Amino acid sequence: MGYALKETKYRFRAWTKDGAWDGGSLTEDKNITIHEGSNVFHYGQAIFEGLKAYKHQNGKVYLFRPDLNFERINGGMERIVAPRIPEKLFFEAITSVAKANIDDIPEYGTGQSLYMRPFVIGQGMNLGVKPSDEYLLSVFCAPVGVYFKGGLQALDFITTQYDRAAGNGMGKVKFAGNYGASLYPRKQAKDAGYAGVIYLDPQTHSKIDEVGAANFFAVTHDNVLVTPKSPTILESITRRSILYLAEHYLGMKVEERECFVDNISEFKEAGACGTAAIITPIKSITHQGNVHQFGDGNVGPTIKKLYDLLVGIYYGDVEAPEGWLHELKLD
Ligand code: PLP
Ligand code: COI
Protein backbone atom coordinates (compact mmCIF):
# COMPACT_ATOMS: atom_id res chain seq x y z
CA MET A 1 0.00 0.00 0.00
CA GLY A 2 1.46 3.36 -0.98
CA TYR A 3 -0.17 6.77 -0.91
CA ALA A 4 -3.00 5.74 -3.21
CA LEU A 5 -6.03 6.93 -1.37
CA LYS A 6 -8.26 4.43 0.37
CA GLU A 7 -11.24 6.41 1.55
CA THR A 8 -12.28 6.17 5.17
CA LYS A 9 -15.80 6.74 6.44
CA TYR A 10 -15.54 9.74 8.74
CA ARG A 11 -14.01 13.18 8.55
CA PHE A 12 -14.23 16.22 10.83
CA ARG A 13 -15.37 19.72 9.91
CA ALA A 14 -15.33 22.94 11.91
CA TRP A 15 -16.28 26.37 10.56
CA THR A 16 -15.76 29.91 11.72
CA LYS A 17 -18.57 32.37 12.21
CA ASP A 18 -17.69 35.99 12.86
CA GLY A 19 -14.06 35.03 13.42
CA ALA A 20 -14.76 32.35 16.05
CA TRP A 21 -14.55 28.57 15.54
CA ASP A 22 -17.59 26.41 16.20
CA GLY A 23 -17.05 23.08 18.01
CA GLY A 24 -17.00 21.06 14.80
CA SER A 25 -18.39 17.59 14.18
CA LEU A 26 -17.81 14.33 12.34
CA THR A 27 -19.45 13.73 9.01
CA GLU A 28 -19.58 10.97 6.43
CA ASP A 29 -19.91 13.51 3.61
CA LYS A 30 -16.63 13.65 1.71
CA ASN A 31 -17.73 16.56 -0.45
CA ILE A 32 -17.45 20.17 0.65
CA THR A 33 -19.85 22.73 -0.78
CA ILE A 34 -18.49 26.25 -0.64
CA HIS A 35 -19.02 29.50 -2.53
CA GLU A 36 -17.42 29.88 -5.96
CA GLY A 37 -15.89 33.16 -4.77
CA SER A 38 -13.95 31.42 -1.97
CA ASN A 39 -10.37 32.59 -1.48
CA VAL A 40 -9.07 29.03 -1.64
CA PHE A 41 -10.03 28.83 -5.32
CA HIS A 42 -8.62 32.17 -6.40
CA TYR A 43 -5.93 33.31 -4.02
CA GLY A 44 -4.76 29.99 -2.56
CA GLN A 45 -5.59 30.75 1.05
CA ALA A 46 -4.96 27.22 2.28
CA ILE A 47 -2.61 25.33 4.57
CA PHE A 48 -2.44 21.73 5.66
CA GLU A 49 -0.76 19.32 8.05
CA GLY A 50 0.22 15.68 8.03
CA LEU A 51 0.57 13.33 10.97
CA LYS A 52 0.24 9.63 11.60
CA ALA A 53 -1.43 7.23 14.01
CA TYR A 54 0.35 3.93 14.70
CA LYS A 55 -0.99 0.75 16.26
CA HIS A 56 1.43 -0.76 18.78
CA GLN A 57 1.82 -4.44 19.55
CA ASN A 58 -0.36 -4.04 22.66
CA GLY A 59 -3.23 -2.92 20.40
CA LYS A 60 -3.15 0.70 21.60
CA VAL A 61 -2.99 3.54 19.06
CA TYR A 62 -0.64 6.52 19.36
CA LEU A 63 -0.31 9.76 17.42
CA PHE A 64 3.29 10.87 16.84
CA ARG A 65 4.05 14.34 18.27
CA PRO A 66 0.69 15.95 17.35
CA ASP A 67 1.50 18.92 19.60
CA LEU A 68 4.10 19.97 17.00
CA ASN A 69 1.54 19.80 14.17
CA PHE A 70 -0.71 21.95 16.32
CA GLU A 71 2.02 24.57 16.78
CA ARG A 72 2.96 24.49 13.11
CA ILE A 73 -0.57 24.80 11.75
CA ASN A 74 -1.10 27.88 13.87
CA GLY A 75 2.15 29.37 12.58
CA GLY A 76 0.69 28.84 9.13
CA MET A 77 -2.65 30.31 10.15
CA GLU A 78 -0.94 33.52 11.17
CA ARG A 79 0.94 33.66 7.86
CA ILE A 80 -2.24 33.22 5.78
CA VAL A 81 -4.08 35.67 8.06
CA ALA A 82 -6.59 33.12 9.36
CA PRO A 83 -7.91 32.84 12.93
CA ARG A 84 -5.90 30.71 15.35
CA ILE A 85 -7.20 27.19 15.94
CA PRO A 86 -7.79 26.50 19.65
CA GLU A 87 -5.81 23.54 21.03
CA LYS A 88 -8.99 21.76 22.19
CA LEU A 89 -10.51 21.98 18.71
CA PHE A 90 -7.38 20.70 16.95
CA PHE A 91 -7.06 17.71 19.27
CA GLU A 92 -10.80 17.00 19.11
CA ALA A 93 -10.58 17.05 15.31
CA ILE A 94 -7.66 14.63 14.99
CA THR A 95 -8.60 12.25 17.80
CA SER A 96 -12.26 12.01 16.82
CA VAL A 97 -11.30 11.19 13.22
CA ALA A 98 -8.79 8.54 14.31
CA LYS A 99 -11.33 6.99 16.70
CA ALA A 100 -14.21 7.08 14.23
CA ASN A 101 -12.05 5.31 11.63
CA ILE A 102 -10.44 2.93 14.10
CA ASP A 103 -11.14 -0.12 11.90
CA ASP A 104 -8.98 1.44 9.18
CA ILE A 105 -5.91 1.87 11.38
CA PRO A 106 -3.47 -0.72 10.05
CA GLU A 107 -2.39 -3.51 12.37
CA TYR A 108 0.99 -3.60 14.09
CA GLY A 109 3.49 -5.48 11.95
CA THR A 110 2.14 -4.40 8.58
CA GLY A 111 4.54 -1.45 8.31
CA GLN A 112 1.52 0.75 7.66
CA SER A 113 -0.14 3.56 9.56
CA LEU A 114 -3.05 5.95 9.42
CA TYR A 115 -2.08 9.21 7.73
CA MET A 116 -4.15 12.16 8.93
CA ARG A 117 -4.57 15.30 6.90
CA PRO A 118 -5.85 18.41 8.72
CA PHE A 119 -6.35 21.38 6.42
CA VAL A 120 -7.73 24.89 6.53
CA ILE A 121 -9.21 26.88 3.69
CA GLY A 122 -10.47 30.43 3.39
CA GLN A 123 -14.03 30.25 2.10
CA GLY A 124 -17.10 32.38 1.45
CA MET A 125 -17.87 34.99 -1.21
CA ASN A 126 -14.92 37.28 -1.83
CA LEU A 127 -13.53 39.10 -4.83
CA GLY A 128 -10.85 41.48 -3.64
CA VAL A 129 -7.45 40.20 -2.56
CA LYS A 130 -7.99 40.21 1.19
CA PRO A 131 -8.29 37.56 3.90
CA SER A 132 -11.53 35.54 3.92
CA ASP A 133 -14.20 36.31 6.46
CA GLU A 134 -14.83 32.59 6.98
CA TYR A 135 -12.76 29.41 7.30
CA LEU A 136 -13.11 25.67 7.28
CA LEU A 137 -10.90 23.29 9.28
CA SER A 138 -11.25 19.72 8.11
CA VAL A 139 -9.44 16.48 8.89
CA PHE A 140 -9.62 13.32 6.85
CA CYS A 141 -7.44 10.24 6.95
CA ALA A 142 -6.30 7.21 5.00
CA PRO A 143 -4.29 4.08 5.78
CA VAL A 144 -0.92 4.30 4.06
CA GLY A 145 2.26 2.38 3.43
CA VAL A 146 5.50 3.92 2.20
CA TYR A 147 5.58 7.22 0.27
CA PHE A 148 8.66 6.58 -1.84
CA LYS A 149 8.63 3.20 -3.56
CA GLY A 150 10.98 0.58 -2.17
CA GLY A 151 10.82 1.25 1.59
CA LEU A 152 14.32 1.49 3.02
CA GLN A 153 16.01 1.49 -0.34
CA ALA A 154 18.30 4.30 -1.48
CA LEU A 155 16.85 6.38 -4.31
CA ASP A 156 18.16 8.82 -6.92
CA PHE A 157 17.25 12.53 -6.72
CA ILE A 158 17.99 15.52 -8.95
CA THR A 159 18.27 19.23 -8.24
CA THR A 160 16.01 21.64 -10.09
CA GLN A 161 16.41 25.21 -11.24
CA TYR A 162 12.86 25.90 -10.03
CA ASP A 163 11.99 27.08 -6.51
CA ARG A 164 9.12 25.72 -4.46
CA ALA A 165 9.04 28.85 -2.33
CA ALA A 166 10.30 32.41 -2.67
CA GLY A 167 13.22 33.76 -0.64
CA ASN A 168 11.08 35.63 1.84
CA GLY A 169 7.96 33.69 0.97
CA MET A 170 5.99 30.81 2.40
CA GLY A 171 8.56 27.99 2.48
CA LYS A 172 8.45 27.80 6.27
CA VAL A 173 4.77 27.01 6.39
CA LYS A 174 2.77 24.16 4.95
CA PHE A 175 1.14 26.47 2.44
CA ALA A 176 -0.81 24.69 -0.31
CA GLY A 177 0.74 26.90 -3.01
CA ASN A 178 4.24 25.57 -2.28
CA TYR A 179 3.04 22.15 -3.38
CA GLY A 180 1.29 23.51 -6.47
CA ALA A 181 4.62 25.13 -7.40
CA SER A 182 6.39 21.78 -6.99
CA LEU A 183 4.27 19.79 -9.43
CA TYR A 184 6.12 20.77 -12.61
CA PRO A 185 9.68 20.19 -11.30
CA ARG A 186 8.45 16.90 -9.82
CA LYS A 187 7.09 15.84 -13.20
CA GLN A 188 10.39 16.73 -14.86
CA ALA A 189 12.32 14.68 -12.32
CA LYS A 190 9.95 11.69 -12.55
CA ASP A 191 9.99 11.78 -16.35
CA ALA A 192 13.79 11.65 -16.20
CA GLY A 193 13.65 8.58 -13.92
CA TYR A 194 14.37 10.19 -10.54
CA ALA A 195 12.48 9.56 -7.29
CA GLY A 196 12.14 13.27 -6.60
CA VAL A 197 13.52 16.79 -6.58
CA ILE A 198 16.10 18.49 -4.39
CA TYR A 199 15.35 22.20 -4.06
CA LEU A 200 18.19 24.66 -3.64
CA ASP A 201 17.95 27.88 -1.66
CA PRO A 202 15.95 30.35 -3.78
CA GLN A 203 18.35 33.27 -3.17
CA THR A 204 21.61 31.78 -4.46
CA HIS A 205 20.83 28.27 -5.75
CA SER A 206 24.06 27.12 -4.15
CA LYS A 207 22.78 25.37 -1.01
CA ILE A 208 20.56 22.35 -0.52
CA ASP A 209 17.22 23.38 0.93
CA GLU A 210 14.97 20.35 1.00
CA VAL A 211 13.30 17.57 -0.93
CA GLY A 212 9.88 18.11 -2.56
CA ALA A 213 7.87 16.79 0.37
CA ALA A 214 10.56 16.06 2.95
CA ASN A 215 13.60 17.64 4.63
CA PHE A 216 17.20 16.76 3.78
CA PHE A 217 19.81 15.45 6.20
CA ALA A 218 23.25 13.94 5.75
CA VAL A 219 26.18 12.41 7.60
CA THR A 220 29.72 13.74 7.16
CA HIS A 221 32.81 11.54 6.83
CA ASP A 222 33.55 12.23 10.50
CA ASN A 223 30.03 11.21 11.57
CA VAL A 224 28.37 14.57 12.17
CA LEU A 225 24.66 14.62 11.37
CA VAL A 226 24.00 17.76 9.33
CA THR A 227 20.73 19.27 8.21
CA PRO A 228 20.25 22.54 6.33
CA LYS A 229 19.64 25.74 8.20
CA SER A 230 17.47 27.79 5.91
CA PRO A 231 14.57 30.22 6.25
CA THR A 232 12.80 28.71 3.23
CA ILE A 233 12.29 25.11 4.34
CA LEU A 234 9.44 23.53 6.22
CA GLU A 235 10.40 22.84 9.82
CA SER A 236 10.01 19.09 9.72
CA ILE A 237 8.86 17.30 12.83
CA THR A 238 10.64 14.17 11.63
CA ARG A 239 13.87 16.14 11.21
CA ARG A 240 13.59 17.51 14.75
CA SER A 241 13.07 13.96 15.95
CA ILE A 242 16.05 12.61 13.99
CA LEU A 243 18.33 15.35 15.33
CA TYR A 244 17.29 14.39 18.85
CA LEU A 245 17.77 10.67 18.25
CA ALA A 246 21.18 11.18 16.64
CA GLU A 247 22.36 13.28 19.57
CA HIS A 248 20.75 11.50 22.50
CA TYR A 249 20.41 7.89 21.36
CA LEU A 250 23.44 7.58 19.06
CA GLY A 251 25.74 10.10 20.78
CA MET A 252 26.43 11.90 17.50
CA LYS A 253 27.36 15.51 17.02
CA VAL A 254 24.56 17.32 15.16
CA GLU A 255 24.68 20.56 13.20
CA GLU A 256 22.10 22.75 11.51
CA ARG A 257 24.02 24.68 8.89
CA GLU A 258 24.30 25.50 5.24
CA CYS A 259 24.88 22.53 2.90
CA PHE A 260 26.60 23.76 -0.27
CA VAL A 261 25.70 21.62 -3.23
CA ASP A 262 29.22 22.02 -4.65
CA ASN A 263 30.57 20.53 -1.44
CA ILE A 264 28.24 17.56 -1.40
CA SER A 265 31.15 15.12 -1.27
CA GLU A 266 31.58 16.10 2.41
CA PHE A 267 28.72 13.66 3.06
CA LYS A 268 28.95 9.89 3.05
CA GLU A 269 25.23 9.30 3.70
CA ALA A 270 22.14 11.36 2.95
CA GLY A 271 18.43 11.01 3.43
CA ALA A 272 15.02 12.60 3.06
CA CYS A 273 12.79 12.70 6.12
CA GLY A 274 9.17 13.49 6.75
CA THR A 275 5.91 12.13 8.05
CA ALA A 276 5.13 10.53 4.71
CA ALA A 277 8.74 9.82 3.65
CA ILE A 278 9.74 8.57 7.16
CA ILE A 279 13.45 8.18 6.35
CA THR A 280 14.19 7.62 2.69
CA PRO A 281 17.89 7.11 1.98
CA ILE A 282 19.30 9.12 -0.91
CA LYS A 283 21.51 7.10 -3.20
CA SER A 284 22.61 9.96 -5.43
CA ILE A 285 22.00 13.59 -6.27
CA THR A 286 22.42 14.78 -9.82
CA HIS A 287 23.27 18.47 -10.09
CA GLN A 288 23.94 20.22 -13.40
CA GLY A 289 24.73 16.90 -15.05
CA ASN A 290 27.11 15.67 -12.33
CA VAL A 291 26.05 12.62 -10.37
CA HIS A 292 27.17 12.42 -6.76
CA GLN A 293 26.65 9.00 -5.20
CA PHE A 294 26.68 8.71 -1.42
CA GLY A 295 28.93 5.88 -0.20
CA ASP A 296 28.49 2.65 -2.14
CA GLY A 297 24.91 3.57 -3.06
CA ASN A 298 23.35 1.31 -0.45
CA VAL A 299 21.66 2.33 2.78
CA GLY A 300 24.39 3.65 5.08
CA PRO A 301 24.84 2.41 8.67
CA THR A 302 23.83 5.66 10.41
CA ILE A 303 20.68 6.05 8.33
CA LYS A 304 19.79 2.44 9.04
CA LYS A 305 20.25 3.01 12.79
CA LEU A 306 18.16 6.19 12.73
CA TYR A 307 15.46 4.48 10.71
CA ASP A 308 15.28 1.55 13.13
CA LEU A 309 15.10 3.91 16.12
CA LEU A 310 12.47 6.17 14.62
CA VAL A 311 10.27 3.38 13.29
CA GLY A 312 10.78 1.51 16.57
CA ILE A 313 9.43 4.56 18.41
CA TYR A 314 6.50 4.93 15.98
CA TYR A 315 5.39 1.37 16.69
CA GLY A 316 6.27 1.27 20.39
CA ASP A 317 9.21 -1.13 20.07
CA VAL A 318 11.79 1.45 21.23
CA GLU A 319 11.19 3.66 24.25
CA ALA A 320 10.12 7.12 23.11
CA PRO A 321 11.42 10.33 24.63
CA GLU A 322 8.97 11.89 27.08
CA GLY A 323 5.94 13.45 25.38
CA TRP A 324 6.47 12.12 21.85
CA LEU A 325 3.53 9.70 21.78
CA HIS A 326 -0.06 10.77 22.28
CA GLU A 327 -2.28 7.83 23.21
CA LEU A 328 -5.64 7.68 21.50
CA LYS A 329 -8.04 7.07 24.38
CA LEU A 330 -10.79 4.83 23.12
CA ASP A 331 -13.33 5.11 25.97
N1 PLP B 1 9.30 19.45 3.84
C1 PLP B 1 8.19 19.46 3.11
C2 PLP B 1 8.14 20.35 1.93
C3 PLP B 1 7.10 18.63 3.44
O1 PLP B 1 5.98 18.63 2.72
C4 PLP B 1 7.21 17.79 4.57
C5 PLP B 1 6.09 16.93 4.97
O2 PLP B 1 5.39 17.21 5.88
C6 PLP B 1 8.40 17.82 5.30
C7 PLP B 1 9.42 18.65 4.91
C8 PLP B 1 8.56 16.96 6.50
O3 PLP B 1 7.88 17.48 7.60
P1 PLP B 1 7.34 16.55 8.74
O4 PLP B 1 8.49 15.75 9.23
O5 PLP B 1 6.84 17.48 9.77
O6 PLP B 1 6.28 15.70 8.15
C1 COI C 1 3.85 14.83 4.92
O1 COI C 1 4.84 14.13 5.09
O2 COI C 1 2.96 14.95 5.78
C2 COI C 1 3.67 15.55 3.69
O3 COI C 1 3.13 16.60 3.73
C3 COI C 1 4.11 14.96 2.46
C4 COI C 1 2.99 14.93 1.52
C5 COI C 1 2.69 16.17 0.83
C6 COI C 1 2.36 13.67 1.19
Side-chain angles (χ1 to χ4, degrees):
M1 188 191 299
Y3 267 68
L5 204 58
K6 173 185 182 296
E7 285 182 3
T8 50
K9 198 162 176 196
Y10 297 100
R11 55 276 292 135
F12 183 93
R13 305 257 159 82
W15 304 81
T16 64
K17 186 98 190 104
D18 301 327
W21 289 100
D22 68 17
S25 58
L26 289 170
T27 173
E28 289 186 38
D29 187 358
K30 57 189 167 222
N31 297 312
I32 299 170
T33 304
I34 56 171
H35 199 284
E36 61 195 352
S38 290
N39 259 4
V40 64
F41 296 138
H42 307 274
Y43 310 130
Q45 200 186 13
I47 52 170
F48 69 94
E49 269 303 327
L51 70 160
K52 282 178 174 168
Y54 294 88
K55 196 174 271 183
H56 289 195
Q57 196 164 18
N58 63 10
K60 291 185 179 176
V61 174
Y62 294 83
L63 300 172
F64 184 74
R65 309 192 78 176
D67 49 316
L68 300 184
N69 297 96
F70 167 69
E71 270 174 28
R72 191 168 64 187
I73 200 168
N74 273 325
M77 294 294 276
E78 190 175 345
R79 187 66 178 78
I80 65 164
V81 200
R84 195 178 161 78
I85 301 169
E87 188 169 5
K88 190 162 172 277
L89 176 63
F90 183 78
F91 277 86
E92 171 66 17
I94 56 175
T95 56
S96 65
V97 170
K99 275 196 264 184
N101 295 295
I102 194 86
D103 292 342
D104 275 321
I105 303 185
E107 291 304 321
Y108 172 85
T110 58
Q112 299 169 4
S113 58
L114 187 77
Y115 182 83
M116 311 198 66
R117 171 55 60 85
F119 65 97
V120 174
I121 55 173
Q123 59 94 25
M125 172 53 184
N126 191 24
L127 269 185
V129 181
K130 61 178 169 51
S132 302
D133 290 329
E134 293 166 8
Y135 295 86
L136 164 69
L137 162 68
S138 186
V139 180
F140 72 101
C141 66
V144 294
V146 292
Y147 186 66
F148 288 108
K149 280 197 190 112
L152 196 65
Q153 190 191 314
L155 302 177
D156 298 310
F157 288 78
I158 185 167
T159 59
T160 174
Q161 81 272 29
Y162 292 103
D163 301 319
R164 63 183 290 282
N168 292 312
M170 305 284 268
K172 249 189 137 134
V173 293
K174 229 162 149 53
F175 173 58
N178 295 341
Y179 297 81
S182 76
L183 298 179
Y184 185 69
R186 177 186 182 278
K187 177 183 172 353
Q188 282 190 319
K190 292 269 177 190
D191 287 352
Y194 294 93
V197 172
I198 301 276
Y199 288 94
L200 302 177
D201 70 295
Q203 283 97 342
T204 69
H205 279 201
S206 64
K207 295 171 270 187
I208 293 178
D209 241 1
E210 64 180 322
V211 183
N215 272 181
F216 174 83
F217 70 99
V219 183
T220 63
H221 291 283
D222 50 0
N223 282 325
V224 180
L225 189 110
V226 180
T227 180
K229 189 173 178 60
S230 161
T232 43
I233 64 176
L234 189 78
E235 286 179 359
S236 157
I237 294 162
T238 317
R239 177 178 74 149
R240 267 172 80 164
S241 307
I242 287 172
L243 285 171
Y244 185 91
L245 295 177
E247 191 173 359
H248 297 278
Y249 284 53
L250 299 182
M252 292 175 72
K253 194 167 165 231
V254 300
E255 276 176 9
E256 268 184 85
R257 63 151 163 91
E258 294 162 323
C259 298
F260 288 92
V261 67
D262 284 343
N263 198 23
I264 201 169
S265 58
E266 67 170 322
F267 302 124
K268 61 178 178 180
E269 297 180 47
C273 66
T275 299
I278 308 181
I279 288 178
T280 300
I282 298 177
K283 178 178 180 187
S284 71
I285 293 179
T286 298
H287 177 61
Q288 293 175 347
N290 300 315
V291 184
H292 175 78
Q293 182 177 296
F294 297 95
D296 63 5
N298 292 312
V299 182
T302 304
I303 290 204
K304 173 84 176 83
K305 275 187 219 157
L306 286 168
Y307 179 89
D308 288 344
L309 277 174
L310 184 65
V311 172
I313 288 171
Y314 286 161
Y315 290 104
D317 299 327
V318 171
E319 192 169 346
E322 182 74 30
W324 280 24
L325 301 183
H326 179 96
E327 187 185 341
L328 190 68
K329 296 271 187 330
L330 291 174
D331 28 281

